[in-house]
């Protein structure tokens, strides 16, 4: 049995999320079916994170265990051939030790949330960014975001369906950067709660529009109450950006 680590890129719009779902297609389902068609084996894809319906990935780390002798490059090429025309691509494939686990060995995860701040409708970026037509103050958003960085109880920013044992997390980074009409929000932590990034982004947009102050955002955090949340940003603009692992 050989363990193969994969780096996946995907457009999440057509799927119910990364994890297999009984009510619709998933990235996991398509990758597992492609691997089975290549090897004749039933395999299970394990990933660094779980993405919701409509959420994308630039570099999702995952792994498969395969008995058949196959070169990593040939496996990557074969998976990409079988996955066409699905908007899922294997960017890299390598063998890793048996005790390496895409989820449990992961030391950190990062996300990017993309906002297009303009009045004109989205064309090329439709479904791949959140359009906010009202002017946004990115500097105010970044300043307010720093209240969320650190070790906190993020109950306010946690989905009622979240299965994490605790709402206490350490947020390592939450930066808001504007480049023309695009505002990117970069978030990094060891792990995130269900809907945490989208919930934080929704509240930061309220700050950017002048409806909330930085103190209002801190009060929402301190409330430790989902009822204090502004709203969830849509999934369109959210991307799993990367995962960090111990050095070999």
């Amino acid at each position: 049995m050989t363990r193969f680590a994969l780096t996946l890129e995907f457009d999440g719009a057509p799927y119910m999320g990364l994890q297999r779902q009984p009510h619709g297609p998933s990235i996991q389902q398509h990758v597992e079916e492609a691997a089975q068609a290549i090897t004749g084996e039933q395999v299970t894809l394990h990933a660094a994170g779980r993405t919701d319906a409509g959420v994308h990935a630039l570099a999702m780390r995952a792994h498969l265990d395969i008995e058949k002798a196959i070169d990593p490059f040939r496996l990557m090429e074969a998976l990409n051939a079988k996955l066409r025309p699905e908007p899922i691509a294997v960017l890299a494939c390598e063998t890793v030790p048996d005790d390496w686990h895409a989820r449990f060995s992961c030391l950190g995860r990062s996300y990017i949330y993309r906002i297009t701040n303009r009045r004109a409708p989205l064309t090329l970026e439709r479904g791949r960014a959140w359009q906010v037509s009202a002017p946004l103050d990115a500097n105010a958003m970044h300043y307010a975001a720093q209240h969320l960085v650190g070790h906190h109880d993020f109950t306010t920013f946690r989905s009622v369906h979240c299965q994490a044992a605790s709402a206490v997390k350490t947020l390592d980074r939450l930066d808001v950067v504007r480049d023309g009409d695009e505002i990117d929000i970069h978030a990094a932590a060891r792990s995130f709660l269900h809907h945490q990034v989208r919930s934080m982004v929704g509240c930061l947009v309220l700050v950017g529009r002048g409806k909330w102050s930085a103190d209002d955002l801190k009060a929402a955090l301190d409330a430790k109450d989902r009822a204090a949340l502004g709203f969830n940003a849509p999934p369109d603009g959210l991307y799993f950006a990367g995962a960090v692992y111990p050095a070999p």
Side-chain angles (χ1 to χ4, degrees):
M1 189 76 74
T2 303
R3 181 158 293 183
F4 293 91
L6 310 177
T7 302
L8 303 175
E9 175 187 272
F10 56 81
D11 176 355
Y15 308 108
M16 301 306 298
L18 186 145
Q19 192 175 24
R20 271 188 181 266
Q21 302 289 340
H23 54 283
S26 67
I27 289 88
Q28 181 182 13
Q29 170 196 338
H30 284 290
V31 175
E32 289 176 350
E33 289 176 353
Q36 184 174 4
I38 295 162
T39 65
E41 304 169 28
Q42 283 197 326
V43 299
T44 301
L45 181 76
H46 300 271
R50 299 176 180 180
T51 59
D52 291 332
V55 175
H56 318 294
L58 301 173
M60 174 63 73
R61 295 284 277 167
H63 78 259
L64 295 168
D65 292 333
I66 296 175
E67 291 184 11
K68 181 178 181 178
I70 185 169
D71 176 78
F73 179 77
R74 288 179 62 86
L75 177 60
M76 178 179 70
E77 291 286 280
L79 285 170
N80 283 329
K82 292 292 184 184
L83 285 166
R84 293 189 186 99
E86 298 293 332
I88 305 169
V90 181
L91 303 181
C93 178
E94 61 183 334
T95 58
V96 290
D98 293 346
D99 61 354
W100 187 94
H101 196 285
R103 179 183 175 192
F104 298 118
S105 300
C106 186
L107 299 177
R109 297 159 175 85
S110 61
Y111 286 87
I112 297 173
Y113 195 98
R114 299 179 59 224
I115 297 171
T116 302
N117 189 206
R118 73 183 197 193
R119 293 191 60 81
L122 297 187
T123 54
L124 301 178
E125 297 297 323
R126 184 181 299 167
R128 295 179 176 84
W130 178 21
Q131 181 186 4
V132 179
S133 56
L136 293 175
D137 184 339
N139 290 330
M141 293 167 67
H142 177 75
Y143 174 78
Q146 305 320 298
H147 286 300
L148 303 181
V149 175
H151 191 68
H152 304 290
D153 183 327
F154 285 97
T155 296
T156 300
F157 304 93
R158 175 187 192 179
S159 165
V160 294
H161 302 295
C162 182
Q163 297 178 354
S166 170
V168 176
K169 296 287 181 182
T170 300
L171 185 63
D172 298 318
R173 179 190 183 194
L174 191 62
D175 292 335
V176 182
V177 181
R178 178 186 278 278
D179 183 8
D181 288 339
E182 179 159 324
I183 296 174
D184 290 341
I185 300 174
H186 301 265
R190 185 180 183 94
S191 62
F192 290 87
L193 300 166
H194 189 205
H195 283 179
Q196 183 180 346
V197 176
R198 289 170 56 193
S199 295
M200 294 189 300
V201 170
C203 291
L204 288 175
V205 164
L206 291 176
V207 173
R209 294 182 63 185
K211 293 180 176 290
W212 275 23
S213 67
D215 288 341
D216 291 329
L217 182 66
K218 186 176 186 304
L221 172 69
D222 292 342
K224 303 173 188 176
D225 183 354
R226 186 69 175 172
L229 181 74
F231 65 99
N232 264 5
D236 309 41
L238 185 58
Y239 295 74
F240 184 96
V244 178
Y245 294 90

